[in-house]
Amino acid sequence: QVQLVESGGGLVQAGGSLRLSCAASGRTFSNDVLGWFRQAPGKEREFVAGINWKGGNIYVDSVKGRFTISRDNAKNTVYLQMNSLKPEDTAVYYCAARSGAPRSAVVPTTAASYNYWGQGTQVTVSS
């Protein structure tokens, strides 16, 4: 059974930092795209960042220069380092994995392109 488990969320003041982790089990994702999405109350799920098997990455404009996605294939884990957090970053953050396209350089930004999801971790940024 494939599982993605996020951790690292919490409450932080504006300007602070958090590091999210997502550990995968049940299969290896070393050749697959991994991504982070977020969903704020009353809003649709939004792409935040994604990373391909070679480490190539993309970000939504609103987090560029503040967030960094990385992966450790030996640990089957993807990370999201979030710095200079803003109240508008408040959301439930989900990690996702896209299987079926191994060693693809393309990082999709649509949720429908990912077929494994974690349960989410809450990030709350106070002003």
Side-chain angles (χ1 to χ4, degrees):
Q1 181 181 358
V2 176
Q3 280 192 311
L4 301 179
V5 179
E6 301 98 335
S7 61
L11 173 64
V12 64
Q13 287 188 333
S17 299
L18 284 174
R19 188 194 194 205
L20 305 184
S21 300
C22 173
S25 61
R27 62 158 285 174
T28 180
F29 289 101
S30 58
N31 291 324
D32 300 310
V33 170
L34 301 172
W36 287 96
F37 288 75
R38 65 187 179 186
Q39 188 166 18
K43 294 188 177 182
E44 293 188 352
R45 193 166 296 191
E46 172 190 39
F47 173 83
V48 176
I51 186 168
N52 65 23
W53 70 284
K54 293 193 296 183
N57 51 58
I58 62 172
Y59 301 89
V60 68
D61 285 348
S62 60
V63 308
K64 285 180 180 177
R66 301 189 297 122
F67 291 11
T68 302
I69 188 171
S70 61
R71 64 191 298 163
D72 185 337
N73 289 335
K75 295 182 178 179
N76 218 18
T77 298
V78 62
Y79 305 95
L80 186 67
Q81 176 67 43
M82 306 186 295
N83 299 329
S84 302
L85 282 161
K86 303 176 180 180
E88 51 263 44
D89 294 318
T90 295
V92 177
Y93 283 71
Y94 299 89
C95 71
R98 179 179 187 237
S99 67
R103 300 196 171 189
S104 171
V106 175
V107 179
T109 60
T110 56
S113 298
Y114 295 79
N115 46 347
Y116 293 104
W117 291 86
Q119 82 289 348
T121 185
Q122 177 70 46
V123 171
T124 303
V125 184
S126 63
S127 57

